[in-house]
Amino acid sequence: PRLLVWYLVLFGVLELTVYQPVYRGPCRYEYLNPMEFDDRVVNEGKDKPKDSWLVCFFASWSPPCVHVEPTFAKLSERFTTQSLRFAKVDVARWPVLAKKHGISTSGVSKQLPTIILFEGGREVARIPHVYPDGRVAKGRFFWSDLVKGFELDMRYARSRGSGGGGGGGGDADKKNK
């Protein structure tokens, strides 16, 4: 019993003092504050209805957000074009913006990270899905799930001018899961 207590104390100290490593690799997303979000995603989107933004609402203290960061960065590297852009919003710094989009920022929230696709300034898709009764579906944040869930292959091909629904590279890059 005494050994168990020491183990729990040591584990607690390690949990509080050792942080998960932060992703520092290449990316093509932008960090937005509420004013930039409204200007670039919402208002500019109304003027350019075919423009899309994939926005990741995250908190640096949330382990699932830390885990999805490399995948989101690789998606931004692969799929960013002039009309398909990627951004991140820190909900710990901008909780009002999170609340405006129905994202709970509590420590026990199952909504972090939330990735929302905006097209023409309006939300068209979201992972994880939130049901009308408030339940949150389990989000799948693997490369292939995000490419399929947001139809990134089709959007990439359309933004590159080919107009087709495939060949954007999602299947060719499965190694990036």
Side-chain angles (χ1 to χ4, degrees), residues 119-141:
E119 199 167 73
R122 293 175 316 155
E123 178 180 331
V124 295
R126 163 191 299 239
I127 295 176
H129 179 74
V130 179
Y131 295 102
D133 65 0
R135 290 180 300 124
V136 179
K138 183 173 177 102
R140 293 184 48 108
F141 296 101

Side-chain angles (χ1 to χ4, degrees), residues 1 18 24 33 42 55 84 112-113 122-123 132 135 139 157 161 163 166 172:
V18 179
R24 300 211 188 278
N33 64 38
V42 178
V55 181
L84 176 58
L112 293 176
R122 293 175 316 155
E123 178 180 331
R135 290 180 300 124

Side-chain angles (χ1 to χ4, degrees), residues 10-72:
L10 179 63
F11 182 76
V13 168
L14 285 174
E15 181 70 25
L16 294 174
T17 59
V18 179
Y19 298 101
Q20 294 184 7
V22 176
Y23 177 77
R24 300 211 188 278
C27 67
R28 292 183 65 189
Y29 55 76
E30 306 169 40
Y31 287 94
L32 300 177
N33 64 38
M35 189 172 77
E36 292 169 328
F37 181 87
D38 286 341
D39 287 346
R40 304 198 57 211
V41 177
V42 178
N43 296 333
E44 194 176 298
K46 290 176 184 172
D47 297 335
K48 300 176 181 176
K50 294 190 179 190
D51 281 7
S52 300
W53 282 86
L54 194 61
V55 181
C56 179
F57 292 83
F58 77 101
S60 58
W61 50 261
S62 169
C65 294
V66 173
H67 291 286
V68 81
E69 191 165 3
T71 303
F72 192 74

Side-chain angles (χ1 to χ4, degrees), residues 108-125:
V108 296
S109 173
K110 294 183 180 185
Q111 289 183 278
L112 293 176
T114 292
I115 301 177
I116 301 177
L117 178 67
F118 294 89
E119 199 167 73
R122 293 175 316 155
E123 178 180 331
V124 295

